[in-house]
Amino acid sequence: MPRLTRAPLLALLCAGLIALGLPVATGAAAAPAVSGEEGLLRMMHLSPDTPSVDAYIDSVSDPDVGVVLPAVTYGDVSPYQVVPAGTYTVSARAAGADPASPPVLASTVTVAPGTATTIAGVGFFADLGFAVLSDDLTLPTAGQARARLVNAASTGAPLDLTLTGGTVLAGDLPFAESTDYVDVPGGAGTLTVTPSAGEPSELPVELAAGSVYTVLVLDRSDGGLTVTSVLDAASPGVVPVGGVEAGAGGTALDEGLPVGRSALAVLALTALALAVGVRLPRRGRAPRHLAS
């Protein structure tokens, strides 16, 4: 799921604000704080033989609160979405399917205030299911990283996984299963993946000190295995958070701005919305918006 990185977006934001004569705030990329009435929710597609899907997250209590994650494919991970605490229906349909059509898979999840939750589509398509993972965003001690592993690879399962220096992260980890978070030395290293029958593979992995990760073991399209490190949280407490496009409407610009500066302001505001995330729509706005 290709996405623009935040660096060029922030550069665009700064250019727009400078052109408008406005101050540039430091730390603009930091995720908005989650209030006591909100939680974080994200989705992962971890089923190797399931085609791309459109994923839906809809509030059970408020039909005007929802988000759509379009064309999610194997290995994709959405940013965290800031959602009001409550119960949500999580569903998946074939990419491009009518939103009113029956979902391929559906479940419910309750988001408690102040928590972070990952919903992962796991297993083979024939017995596809949702795994609900409770995410621990507590930062590790100095010099350490915190990580958990998810075996989303059907090749060679179960797997033994060992980090540089001999730290055993998992033994006989079955396909579609995950480990608890553990603290490990931060920095670049090697993850040795040993299948149940076969030769071990040494795969590079970098777990920055002070950060929290979910490490995905995935099937490669050309055979073999690959590893992806997904950032859950980073020092000083920055959580990757996605937003929701506002649909029709938006922020009105001052009519007194010259045309050139108005255009820059539009770009700056767009960059800001994408960089820091926009909250889910509340009642009174059109339901279901595309996640950024």
Side-chain angles (χ1 to χ4, degrees):
M1 191 187 301
R3 299 185 186 277
L4 289 175
T5 60
R6 293 186 177 187
L9 288 172
L10 290 175
L12 181 59
L13 167 64
C14 293
L17 293 178
I18 291 170
L20 291 169
L22 299 176
V24 177
T26 60
V34 178
S35 75
E37 299 180 352
E38 296 172 323
L40 296 170
L41 185 62
R42 70 178 176 186
M43 296 192 70
M44 297 181 177
H45 184 328
L46 302 182
S47 173
D49 67 340
T50 297
S52 296
V53 299
D54 293 337
Y56 295 79
I57 302 170
D58 293 299
S59 171
V60 170
S61 61
D62 188 345
D64 289 344
V65 174
V67 84
V68 180
L69 302 164
V72 184
T73 193
Y74 176 57
D76 281 348
V77 179
S78 80
Y80 281 111
Q81 305 296 317
V82 179
V83 299
T87 301
Y88 290 82
T89 298
V90 181
S91 57
R93 295 172 175 80
D98 184 342
S101 63
V104 174
L105 183 65
S107 185
T108 58
V109 59
T110 298
V111 178
T115 63
T117 304
T118 295
I119 307 297
V122 297
F124 292 111
F125 182 71
D127 59 354
L128 185 65
F130 279 137
V132 180
L133 305 177
S134 295
D135 302 343
D136 181 2
L137 305 185
T138 306
L139 298 179
T141 57
Q144 298 286 298
R146 178 168 292 133
R148 68 176 170 194
L149 290 168
V150 179
N151 182 9
S154 59
T155 303
L159 302 175
D160 293 337
L161 301 117
T162 305
L163 199 60
T164 304
T167 303
V168 177
L169 299 181
D172 290 331
L173 184 64
F175 172 52
E177 295 292 334
S178 62
T179 69
D180 294 330
Y181 286 94
V182 296
D183 286 359
V184 298
T190 299
L191 182 66
T192 301
V193 182
T194 306
S196 57
E199 296 299 317
S201 300
E202 294 188 349
L203 305 173
V205 62
E206 183 162 0
L207 305 173
S211 298
V212 182
Y213 294 89
T214 295
V215 179
L216 307 177
V217 184
L218 303 166
D219 287 323
R220 285 204 321 253
S221 58
D222 59 350
L225 301 173
T226 187
V227 170
T228 298
S229 298
V230 179
L231 181 64
D232 293 354
S235 181
V238 175
V239 178
V241 175
V244 179
E245 294 180 2
T251 304
L253 296 173
D254 187 339
E255 293 181 357
L257 287 174
V259 174
R261 295 178 70 189
S262 297
L264 283 173
V266 171
L267 293 174
L269 291 171
T270 301
L272 178 62
L274 289 170
V276 303
V278 180
R279 298 295 175 86
L280 280 169
R282 305 289 177 159
R283 184 176 297 276
R285 295 189 182 181
R288 286 182 179 166
H289 294 282
L290 295 179
S292 62

